[in-house]
C-alpha cells in the first residue's frame, strides 16, 4: 500500500461537547479505501511540536473524512484552533482496522448480535464501524433477524455521539460514571446489570475497559476485536515506539507487535493483558 | 552534472543519504518512498538474541525534538538474517546493519554472523551499557571504546563504523581511540541523554525515566562534534543529529561528514530522506558544487 | 496561602525565580519588569580584570534555542563593585554574583573582593577554560572541580554555588566532587557546546566558531542532569536550561531543583521571569501545592 | 523608560521593491515618543525561531509606525507573510536614535547643509529622520536659507524610497552600484564626483560605507552620527551580544558598547573603525 502525506481542506471543526471536537476534511485519498478502526496522523504547524497526533477515523462520507477528538494537551489544542477553509497536513490511512470478514465468517445461524463497545473517545471509530457493518450486511443479504448490531458505550460525564450511534445501531446502551445521564457506572457494569449478550464484540476505549471485556469474552469463548492505543512516535511503523505484547496463536510464546502498523486492532485473545 | 557518489570505507554509496538506525523499517518506510533512492539503509540495532526493549511509554515529545527509550528491541541476529535481510536485499541500496550488545562477546557474535551475510557494512552502536563494567556505555570511555573496536575488527569481515555517543566530555578522544583500534569509520551523533517529567502525573513521561533526545534541537551539538572529529581523525564520518532539510545535510557535509543519516526527520515526515536528497541536489546546483568533496572541502 | 520562599545555603529567597547569568542587566531588564519581583538577581560573569570577550558575531539562532559566544565580556570586579553593585543594591532582591577566571588565583581574587561587598552569594562558573591546564574547563574534571571549589571555599566569606557544565560524561561525579570539597550548592546547567555553519558563507556563524547552546532545545538534558544530581548530592540545586514557562519551572523543581534561573527565555520575552513566576504560582494553586518543598518531594 | 512587548495590528504589509516590504502597524505606544534611528524588535510566531528580528522604525504618522525591510532569510520571510488585520508582537522603541539637539547646537550661522547618507536598507530610517529634522527646523524657526537637508543614498541595483526622500529633502542624490539607475557607483564615489559638501552628516548603512564616510568626516573635521548594525540576541541590552568598540572621548582607552542599548546611533569619532 502506498501511503502519503496530504494537505486536506477543512470543512468543519466544531466543538460538539465539552472539549470534544468534530473535524471534517475533504480527503478522497483517505475516504475511498477506508476500513473502520484505521487512524490518520495529524501533523501540526507549531514547530515546537514535531510528532504527529494519531486520531481515529470516525467515519467517512463520499470524499470527506470525519474525526472526533478531545482536547487533552498542547497538540490537540492546536488542532482545535484550525478553521474551516484551512489546510491540514495529514497522512493517508494508517494501521489495520477491524476485520469485518472475520466477524461474518464466524457468525453462522440466526439472531446473532454484534456488540460495539466503546469507552470515552473510543466511541469515535464505532460510528464508521457500525455503518460499514450495515453495508456489509446488505452486501451479504443479511436481514436484522439474522444479525443485529448494538452499541454499549460509557463516558465519564458527558455522553457523545449517541445520536449518530442510534441512527445505525439496533439499540444503544450508555452509561456515565458519575451518573449525570443514563446508567450510572462503567461499561462492564452496564453489560452485567442489563444482562447484555452478544456473539461478537468489537471494542475501543481505555485499556482497563478492554482488558475487562476481553476477559469476559475469553471466559465465555466469544470472539472480540479490540482497538488499542499507545503513545506513538511516527505512527507508521518506523520507530518501534508503540508496542504491545501479543501471544502467538496456540503457543505461550509472546511477541511484541507495533500498535500503529500491526494494529491498532487486535483479536482480544491475541493480546497479553497482564501488564 | 552533479555527482552524489561517496566512498565510505570501500563501499560506494550512490548518494550520501542514509537512514539513522532505529528510525527506518523497510516495509513501513517503503510505503512512503522508494527505498532504491537511499544511499544506504542503516537498520535498527540487532543483538545476538532477541531483546524485548523497554515497556511503554517509549516516546515523549520535546521542544524541537523527541525522547525515545525503545531500549533496542529487536528480534535477534538470526531472525534478522532470515526474515528481514532478504526483503531489504531486494532494493538497490547499500545495507548497513547496526549492532548492539551488552558484552563484547555479544557484539562479536553478531559481527561474526553478519560477516557471512549479504550486507555491506556494520555500524557498531557503542552507546549500549556495558554490563560487565557497571553498566557504563562502551562509548563513554576511550579505553573501552578502543578495546571493543579492536575485538570486533579482528573478527568482522566487513567494514565497521563505530557509532559514537555524544554524552562524553571529549568526543575527539573517543574518535581517535577507535580510529587507532582499526575502525573503518565513525558515525555521530547518537542521542543526548534527556528526561521529561509530567508535572501533573508527577512522574517521568517515559517508562524508563530517561531517554535519548533527538531531532533539530540537538543539531548544533552534532555539527560541533562532526567538526571536531573531522579535525581529529581521517577515517570517514557519517554525520547525523537533527537533519531536517537539504541545507542541514549540507551543513554536516561542510563540517566534515562524508555521508549523513536522517532519523527523527523521517518520523516527523515519512518522506524526509528523499525530500532531503532532492533539496541537497538543489543546494549543490544553486551553489555550484559538482560533488560532495567540494562541499566537504569548502571550509577546510 | 502559597509560599514561594526557599532557603539556598542560608540565604532566604522570597521566590525561586532567579536570572541566569549573562542574560540579565539590571538597567535594561529593569525597563521591562520590576526587579523587586525576583527571588535573586544572578549577574553576568565577573573576572578579576576587565575582559573584552569575543569579537562579533557573538549570537546565532538555532532550532528552539540560540548559540552564544560572548566570551564573558565584563568590566572586571572593581568596576562591578563600584558601578554596578550600588545600582543593583537598590532593589529588594538577593544578589548572586557569577564569578569567572582563567586560573584558580583569578577566581580567588574575585571571591576575596566579593566577600567584603554587599552581595548575598557567589555563583562560580567553572565552565571557563583553565589556561594552566591546557584550556580544558575546570568543570570538566572532578579533580580540578574539587580543587577550585576547595580553594575558593577557603577564602570566600559568602556561600558559593558551583555552576556546572553539561559537557561532561557524568555530571554526578562533578557534583559529588564539589559537594565534598565544600560547595554550598550547585547550579546547572550551563550551555551545551554547539556550532552553526552558514553554508552560503562557508564559515561558522559565530566569530568564535563554537558557542554555547541554550534555550528550550536543551531542556530535556538539563532536567535529566538536575534529576541525577539531586539523587547524588544533598546541597541545594539551582536548576536551569530552557525554562520558558511556569510548567517548565515546576518540572525542574520536581526533578529536584530548589530554585530556578531564567536565561534565554528572558532574551526571547523580556518579561519572562515575572511571567514565569506568576505561571508557577498558578500551577501551584491549581494543583494544590502550598510550598516549593511539596513540589520537590512529589517525585521522591 | 518603561519598555513593553505589545501586540500591534497590521495595516499594511506590501512588497514595494524586489523583496523589500513596507509594513505599517497601529502602535501609539511607539509612535508617540519616536526618535529617528530607534528600532523595534519583531517577534515571530514560528516556534523554531526564538530570537526577535530588529528592524528600524522608518517613520511614524499619528498612531502608526512604518518599517521598511528586506527579506534576507527565514525570519524576514515569515514577517513578510503577515497579512493586514493580523497582530504582530513587537517591542516598544529600543535604543538611542539620532541626537537632533547636537546637530542644531553645532550648526551655527547660515547656509548650512545636513546630509543624510544611506546605503541599501539603511535608507529606511532616513525618512523619519528627515521629517523630524524639518519639524525641528520649524520649532527653532530656521528657514531653508539657514539649514538645508539633503540625502545621498546608494543601492546595489534597485533604488527604494526615493520619492519619500524627495518629499522631505532639498535634494536627493542617488547611486546604484551596477548603474541601472542614477549615478553608477557607490555612495562615496557619488559624494566625491558630485563634490557634495555638508556641515553635518547622519548616516545609516553597511559598515564599510559608514567607515569610509566617517573617515572623510574625521579628516575634514566635520561631525557625523552613524547608525550601526550588529547581529543581535535580545535587542534590549541583556545579552551583550551586539557590541562595538568605542573610544572614550579624548583618550586612547577603548570601551565595548552595546549597539542595541547604547546605540544603534553613535558619533562617528566615537567608533573604533579599524576592526
Ligand atoms: C491509534 C490511536 C487513535 C486515536 N484516536 C483518537 C481519537 O479518535 N480521538 C481522540 O480524541 N484521541 C485519539 N487518540 C489519542 C490522541 O492521539 C491523543 O489524545 C493526542 O495525541 C494527545 O495530544 P496532545 O498534544 O493534545 O497531548 P499531550 O499529552 O500534550 O501530548 C504529548 C505527546 O504525547 C502523545 N500522546 C499523548 N497521549 C497520547 C495517546 N493517548 N496516544 C498516543 N499518543 C499520545 C502525543 O502524540 C504527543 O506526542 C488516539 C491515539 C491513538 C494511538
Ligand atoms: C538595529 C538594527 C536595525 C535594523 N533595521 C533594519 C531595517 O530597517 N530593515 C531591514 O531590512 N533590516 C534591518 N536590520 C537587519 C535585520 O534585522 C536582519 O536582516 C534580519 O534580522 C534578518 O533576519 P532573517 O531571519 O531573515 O535572516 P537570517 O540570516 O536567517 O537570520 C538568522 C539570525 O541572524 C540574525 N541576523 C541576521 N542578519 C542580521 C543583521 N543584519 N542584524 C541583526 N541580526 C541579524 C537574525 O536576527 C537571526 O537571529 C536591522 C538590524 C539591526 C541590528
Ligand atoms: C526511535 C529511535 C530509535 C533509535 N534506535 C537506535 C538504534 O537502534 N541504534 C542506534 O545506534 N541508534 C538509534 N537511534 C539514534 C539515531 O540513529 C540517531 O543517532 C539519533 O536519533 C540522532 O539523529 P536524529 O536527530 O536525526 O534523529 C534511535 C533514535 C530514535 C529516535
Ligand atoms: C548570552 C548568554 C550569556 C551567558 N553568560 C554566562 C555567564 O557569564 N556565566 C555563566 O555562568 N553562564 C552564562 N550563560 C549561561 C546561562 O546562564 C545558562 O546557564 C544557559 O543559558 C542555560 O539556560 P537557558 O537555556 O535558560 O538560557 C550565558 C548564556 C547566554 C545565552
Ligand atoms: S509509533 Fe512508530 S512504530 Fe508505532
Ligand atoms: S542584542 Fe542583547 S545586548 Fe544587544
Amino acid at each position: 500500500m502506498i501511503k502519503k502525506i496530504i494537505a486536506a481542506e477543512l470543512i468543519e471543526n466544531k466543538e460538539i461537547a465539552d472539549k470534544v471536537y468534530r473535524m471534517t476534511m475533504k480527503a478522497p485519498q483517505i475516504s475511498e479505501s477506508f476500513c473502520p478502526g484505521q487512524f490518520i496522523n495529524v501533523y501540526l504547524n507549531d514547530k515546537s511540536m514535531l510528532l504527529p497526533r494519531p486520531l481515529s477515523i470516525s467515519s467517512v462520507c463520499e470524499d470527506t473524512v470525519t474525526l472526533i477528538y478531545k482536547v487533552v494537551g498542547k497538540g490537540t489544542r492546536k488542532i482545535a484552533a484550525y478553521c474551516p477553509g484551512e489546510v491540514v497536513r495529514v497522512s493517508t490511512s494508517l494501521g489495520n482496522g477491524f476485520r469485518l470478514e472475520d466477524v461474518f465468517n464466524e457468525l453462522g445461524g440466526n439472531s446473532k448480535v454484534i456488540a460495539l463497545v466503546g469507552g470515552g473517545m473510543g466511541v469515535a471509530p464505532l460510528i464508521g464501524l457500525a455503518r460499514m457493518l450495515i453495508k456489509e450486511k446488505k452486501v451479504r443479504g443479511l436481514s436484522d433477524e439474522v444479525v443485529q448490531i448494538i452499541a454499549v458505550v460509557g463516558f465519564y460525564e458527558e455522553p457523545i455521539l449517541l445520536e449518530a450511534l442510534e441512527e445505525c445501531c439496533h439499540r444503544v446502551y450508555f452509561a456515565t460514571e458519575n451518573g449525570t445521564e443514563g446508567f450510572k457506572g462503567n461499561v462492564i457494569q452496564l453489560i452485567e446489570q442489563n444482562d447484555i449478550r452478544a456473539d461478537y464484540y468489537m471494542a475501543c476505549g481505555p485499556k482497563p475497559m478492554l482488558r475487562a471485556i476481553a476477559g469476559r469474552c475469553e471466559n465465555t469463548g466469544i470472539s472480540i476485536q479490540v482497538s488499542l492505543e499507545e503513545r506513538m512516535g511516527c505512527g507508521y511503523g518506523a520507530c518501534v515506539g508503540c508496542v504491545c505484547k501479543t501471544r502467538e496463536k496456540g503457543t505461550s510464546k509472546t511477541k511484541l507487535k507495533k500498535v500503529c502498523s500491526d494494529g491498532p486492532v487486535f483479536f482480544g485473545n491475541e493480546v497479553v493483558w497482564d501488564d | 552534472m552533479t555527482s552524489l557518489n561517496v566512498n565510505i570505507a570501500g563501499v560506494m554509496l550512490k548518494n550520501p543519504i542514509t537512514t539513522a538506525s532505529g528510525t527506518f523499517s523497510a516495509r513501513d518506510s517503503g510505503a512512503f518512498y522508494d527505498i532504491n533512492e537511499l544511499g544506504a539503509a542503516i537498520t535498527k540495532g540487532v543483538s545476538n538474541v532477541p531483546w524485548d526493549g523497554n515497556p511503554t511509554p517509549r516516546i515523549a515529545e520535546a521542544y524541537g525534538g523527541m525522547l525515545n527509550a525503545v531500549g533496542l528491541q529487536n528480534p535477534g541476529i538470526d531472525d534478522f538474517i532470515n526474515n528481514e535481510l532478504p526483503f531489504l536485499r531486494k532494493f538497490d541500496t547499500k545495507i548497513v546493519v547496526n549492532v548492539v550488545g551488552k558484552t563484547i562477546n555479544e557484539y562479536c557474535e553478531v559481527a561474526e554472523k553478519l560477516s557471512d551475510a549479504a550486507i555491506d557494512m556494520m555500524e557498531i552502536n557503542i552507546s549500549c551499557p556495558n554490563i560487565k563494567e557497571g553498566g557504563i556505555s562502551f562509548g563513554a570511555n576511550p579505553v573501552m571504546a578502543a578495546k571493543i573496536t579492536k575485538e570486533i575488527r579482528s573478527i568482522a569481515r566487513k567494514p565497521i563504523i563505530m557509532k559514537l555517543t555524544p554524552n562524553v566530555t571529549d568526543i575527539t578522544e573517543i574518535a581517535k581511540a577507535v580510529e587507532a583500534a582499526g575502525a573503518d569509520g565513525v558515525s555521530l551523533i547518537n542521542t543526548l541523554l534527556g528526561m521529561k517529567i509530567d508535572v501533573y502525573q508527577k512522574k517521568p513521561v517515559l517508562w524508563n525515566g530517561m531517554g535519548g533526545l533527538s531531532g533539530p534541537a540537538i543539531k548544533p551539538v552534532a555539527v560541533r562534534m562532526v567538526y571536531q572529529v573531522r579535525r581529529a581523525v581521517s577515517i570517514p564520518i557519517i554525520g547525523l543529529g537533527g537533519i531536517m532539510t537539504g541545507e542541514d545535510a549540507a551543513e554536516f557535509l561542510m563540517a566534515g561528514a562524508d555521508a549523513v543519516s536522517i532519523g527523527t526527520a523521517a518520523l516527523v515526515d515519512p518522506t524526509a530522506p528523499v525530500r532531503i536528497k532532492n533539496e541537497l541536489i538543489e543546494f549543490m546546483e544553486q551553489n555550484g558544487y559538482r560533488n560532495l568533496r567540494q562541499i566537504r572541502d569548502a571550509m577546510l
Side-chain angles (χ1 to χ4, degrees), chain A, chain B:
Chain A
M1 253 292 294
I2 289 180
K3 291 176 184 154
K4 282 208 169 76
I5 308 300
I6 60 170
E9 194 191 320
L10 286 196
I11 292 166
E12 183 191 42
N13 192 20
K14 198 179 142 186
E15 189 163 8
I16 57 168
D18 184 36
K19 288 194 185 154
V20 177
Y21 286 73
R22 181 175 61 221
M23 174 181 267
T24 301
M25 60 185 83
K26 202 166 166 174
Q29 307 96 319
I30 299 173
S31 61
E32 70 198 4
S33 63
F34 162 69
C35 170
Q38 286 188 306
F39 67 97
I40 61 174
N41 270 344
V42 178
Y43 296 88
L44 307 172
N45 288 333
D46 182 315
K47 297 228 177 124
S48 70
M49 295 187 268
L50 298 179
L51 298 177
R53 270 43 181 175
L55 294 176
S56 299
I57 301 170
S58 177
S59 62
V60 302
C61 180
E62 296 180 355
D63 62 353
T64 69
V65 172
T66 297
L67 315 175
I68 310 281
Y69 63 93
K70 183 160 185 172
V71 171
V72 299
K74 285 186 213 158
T76 42
R77 201 171 310 134
K78 290 279 167 180
I79 295 175
Y82 279 106
C83 294
E86 280 189 274
V87 152
V88 220
R89 280 199 327 131
V90 296
S91 70
T92 51
S93 309
L94 298 171
N96 297 303
F98 289 97
R99 276 99 174 150
L100 304 194
E101 278 292 309
D102 187 87
V103 179
F104 291 100
N105 288 348
E106 195 167 314
L107 293 181
N110 262 345
S111 308
K112 298 294 179 184
V113 176
I114 303 174
L116 311 185
V117 184
M121 296 310 299
V123 173
L126 301 186
I127 309 296
L129 176 58
R131 292 190 190 154
M132 197 65 101
L133 285 168
I134 291 172
K135 225 188 202 169
E136 196 62 26
K137 270 174 64 180
K138 269 207 194 109
V139 170
R140 293 172 185 254
L142 303 171
S143 72
D144 289 354
E145 273 70 62
V146 182
V147 175
Q148 279 192 2
I149 302 163
I150 63 166
V152 191
V153 293
F155 305 91
Y156 177 68
E157 187 168 2
E158 191 183 7
I160 55 165
L161 301 175
L162 290 183
E163 272 179 45
L165 282 173
E166 266 152 13
E167 273 172 29
C168 48
C169 295
H170 245 84
R171 188 144 176 209
V172 177
Y173 300 85
F174 81 97
T176 57
E177 295 217 12
N178 66 358
T180 36
E181 281 185 68
F183 175 87
K184 180 177 170 147
N186 64 31
V187 167
I188 305 299
Q189 292 162 335
L190 176 63
I191 291 177
E192 282 170 355
Q193 298 201 11
N194 285 276
D195 199 22
I196 300 171
R197 285 159 201 259
D199 304 286
Y200 205 113
Y201 286 86
M202 308 179 88
C204 185
K207 207 158 183 184
M209 177 197 101
L210 297 179
R211 184 196 288 120
I213 183 136
R216 281 178 60 92
C217 288
E218 182 96 54
N219 294 338
T220 50
I222 294 174
S223 289
I224 176 168
Q225 293 181 31
V226 294
S227 177
L228 298 183
E229 226 182 73
E230 190 48 79
R231 201 165 274 247
M232 295 191 170
C234 64
Y236 69 90
C239 76
V240 201
C242 63
V243 291
C244 79
K245 206 186 266 179
T246 63
R247 194 179 290 110
E248 282 184 45
K249 244 195 175 132
T251 73
S252 66
K253 257 182 76 182
T254 62
K255 190 180 160 159
L256 291 166
K257 287 197 175 173
K258 293 183 272 195
V259 171
C260 68
S261 57
D262 297 321
V265 177
F266 295 92
F267 290 106
N269 58 8
E270 182 187 12
V271 176
V272 178
W273 290 102
D274 42 65
D275 61 334
Chain B
M1 253 305 293
T2 311
S3 154
L4 291 178
N5 284 353
V6 57
N7 181 326
I8 305 281
V11 177
M12 186 60 80
L13 274 51
K14 62 186 169 191
N15 68 62
I17 306 296
T18 72
T19 56
S21 177
T23 63
F24 169 77
S25 146
R27 283 188 180 78
D28 299 298
S29 307
F32 282 99
Y33 64 85
D34 180 0
I35 291 176
N36 295 302
E37 296 231 25
L38 295 171
I42 304 186
T43 72
K44 65 177 173 236
V46 180
S47 50
N48 64 332
V49 293
W51 284 6
D52 265 0
N54 292 317
T56 57
R58 292 176 168 188
I59 303 285
E61 198 171 47
Y63 200 115
M66 63 181 279
L67 291 158
N68 90 80
V70 169
L72 298 166
Q73 176 193 328
N74 79 89
I77 183 65
D78 295 333
D79 186 273
F80 173 81
I81 290 178
N82 295 329
N83 299 322
E84 292 189 27
L85 189 54
F87 183 79
L88 250 184
R89 266 277 56 106
K90 292 189 211 155
F91 300 98
D92 174 27
T93 188
K94 300 298 173 187
I95 298 175
V96 183
V97 181
N98 186 271
V99 178
V100 298
K102 286 174 190 131
T103 63
I104 294 187
N105 276 347
E106 289 183 13
Y107 279 96
C108 286
E109 197 181 324
V110 180
E112 173 65 51
K113 289 187 176 168
L114 284 173
S115 292
D116 295 322
I119 67 152
D120 297 288
M121 277 195 271
M122 300 175 209
E123 181 183 63
I124 316 294
N125 175 2
I126 55 173
S127 313
C128 308
N130 171 357
I131 57 165
K132 286 220 171 139
E133 306 270 346
I136 296 170
S137 100
F138 287 96
N141 175 296
V143 178
M144 279 308 306
K147 185 153 179 240
I148 192 171
T149 306
K150 202 172 224 155
E151 302 237 9
I152 299 174
R153 182 60 287 164
S154 74
I155 57 128
R157 294 181 304 284
K158 310 264 177 182
I160 61 168
I161 308 287
M162 304 306 288
K163 179 150 179 193
L164 308 185
T165 166
N167 301 298
V168 295
T169 308
D170 181 2
I171 193 143
T172 63
E173 202 184 28
I174 314 284
K176 284 189 276 189
V178 302
E179 178 181 50
D184 301 295
V186 285
S187 66
L188 57 146
I189 59 175
N190 213 312
T191 53
L192 288 171
L193 192 58
M195 183 173 195
K196 181 177 179 177
I197 294 169
D198 183 326
V199 290
Y200 304 102
Q201 305 280 329
K202 299 172 200 161
K203 61 177 192 198
V205 174
L206 296 173
W207 181 90
N208 190 50
M210 298 175 198
L213 179 66
S214 61
I218 70 170
K219 197 187 72 171
V221 174
V223 170
R224 181 263 293 185
M225 289 186 166
V226 168
Y227 181 90
Q228 289 179 312
V229 169
R230 173 74 296 148
R231 281 140 190 90
V233 303
S234 56
I235 50 179
I237 297 174
I238 301 179
L240 72 159
I243 297 175
M244 299 294 278
T245 65
E247 196 178 297
D248 292 342
E251 188 176 358
F252 277 79
L253 295 170
M254 213 172 269
D258 297 275
V260 295
S261 301
I262 312 304
T264 301
L267 308 180
V268 168
D269 166 10
T271 63
V274 174
R275 172 179 54 77
I276 291 170
K277 182 177 111 176
N278 293 331
E279 289 170 356
L280 178 62
I281 294 172
E282 200 181 306
F283 170 83
M284 291 174 71
E285 284 170 352
Q286 288 182 358
N287 293 276
Y289 294 102
R290 271 168 302 123
N291 57 55
L292 300 179
R293 173 116 227 148
Q294 291 178 338
I295 305 183
R296 226 196 82 169
D297 290 348
M299 233 174 61
L300 284 177

